[in-house]
Amino acid sequence: MMERHLSSQFDEELNHISSSVLEMGGLVETQLRQAMRALHQLDTQATQVVLDLEERVNRLEVEIDAEITSVMCRRQPTARDLRLLVGVSRVIVNLERAGDEAARVARMTRDFVAAGAPRVLPLDDLVHAATLAAGSIRAALDAFARLDVPALLQVIDTDDRIDVVYEGFLRKLITFMMEDPRLITPCLNLTFLAKAIERIGDHAKNIAEAGVYVAVGKDIRHVSPQERESALK
């Protein structure tokens, strides 16, 4: 992720930030894996693993943010170095929020199990969406580390697939509620759970967009897919 500089101390500082981001990313990926396990197997022990990691993720975000601010003030980086630090700052914010959503999934899964968890509901669709979202976070971090623009753009496109699965799941829940009013409460709970998963996909997309910004110096956060190619020229 980091390039060599004339100042070896600057290199060390950047490498430490990089290592901390990788550690934070690993923790969030663990949260997402355990959240998926909890959802797929209705495993309350897995939900606790997710919740136990939440404080460590939050603490790392604060520490990395403070380190980035310190480096900016002392080194006054320019050009790509500055873009890199700004991009990393965006990454850790979105990682922390993805971890928050994973914790939200864990809490709602735990409550869903405690309430009886009707097996008739289409949980497999939800697990599929969660798998896509978690994979997007992993792919976004890997592509960011390599500043691989095609891979970053692929992550951005995957968010559209997650949105399609999310919308299809909501339509199925509406059908279940119409056919059996007793399922209204659990279906509404799953609606909030599905939204948390959809938001994880959004955070993966944000990380990928930050990677594109670092790699080519173009901010594509509000660029449509049709306009993206010309924007990156």
Side-chain angles (χ1 to χ4, degrees):
M1 183 186 297
M2 307 299 185
E3 296 181 349
R4 300 295 298 175
H5 295 85
L6 294 178
S7 168
S8 61
Q9 187 174 358
F10 190 15
D11 275 330
E12 290 176 6
E13 292 167 347
L14 294 178
N15 286 332
H16 186 266
I17 290 173
S18 178
S19 297
S20 297
V21 173
L22 292 175
E23 179 185 357
M24 184 179 179
L27 291 175
V28 172
E29 286 184 24
T30 299
Q31 283 186 295
L32 294 171
R33 283 196 304 271
Q34 292 298 319
M36 284 189 297
R37 176 181 174 182
L39 188 59
H40 186 239
Q41 302 178 8
L42 299 180
D43 182 350
T44 55
Q45 290 184 341
T47 65
Q48 192 57 48
V49 174
V50 178
L51 299 176
D52 289 343
L53 290 174
E54 187 174 19
E55 182 180 350
R56 289 174 60 189
V57 170
N58 293 344
R59 185 171 65 250
L60 267 174
E61 190 221 351
V62 172
E63 292 173 356
I64 297 170
D65 183 63
E67 194 166 0
I68 289 172
T69 301
S70 175
V71 169
M72 284 183 169
C73 291
R74 289 183 292 103
R75 302 297 182 184
Q76 298 182 350
T78 59
R80 185 162 177 169
D81 291 337
L82 180 59
R83 292 205 312 268
L84 177 60
L85 290 171
V86 170
V88 170
S89 181
R90 293 180 184 175
V91 168
I92 63 171
V93 168
N94 281 281
L95 276 178
E96 189 273 335
R97 290 177 180 171
D100 284 347
E101 297 297 346
R104 188 170 290 111
V105 169
R107 292 189 186 94
M108 287 189 287
T109 300
R110 182 186 59 193
D111 294 343
F112 184 68
V113 172
R119 297 284 179 170
V120 69
L121 295 176
L123 288 179
D124 286 346
D125 291 10
L126 201 55
V127 172
H128 176 54
T131 301
L132 284 175
S136 289
I137 290 287
R138 188 182 311 111
L141 289 173
D142 181 61
F144 186 96
R146 295 180 286 110
L147 295 180
D148 183 339
V149 174
L152 291 165
L153 295 177
Q154 187 173 357
V155 172
I156 294 171
D157 291 337
T158 299
D159 184 54
D160 292 334
R161 293 171 54 199
I162 295 171
D163 291 342
V164 169
V165 175
Y166 168 71
E167 291 166 2
F169 180 72
L170 292 187
R171 287 194 295 270
K172 284 188 178 182
L173 290 183
I174 291 172
T175 300
F176 276 98
M177 288 187 285
M178 291 175 63
E179 293 178 350
D180 188 348
R182 293 173 298 179
L183 295 176
I184 290 176
T185 296
C187 282
L188 288 176
N189 291 337
L190 286 183
T191 298
F192 295 124
L193 204 159
K195 184 60 180 177
I197 291 170
E198 190 266 341
R199 289 293 297 149
I200 292 170
D202 289 342
H203 293 308
K205 177 182 178 181
N206 293 343
I207 291 171
E209 289 173 341
V212 173
Y213 170 72
V214 174
V216 301
K218 300 290 182 66
D219 192 338
I220 62 169
R221 284 179 292 180
H222 305 294
V223 175
S224 68
Q226 296 76 20
E227 300 170 332
R228 191 185 299 152
E229 184 176 347
S230 59
L232 290 175
K233 290 180 180 179

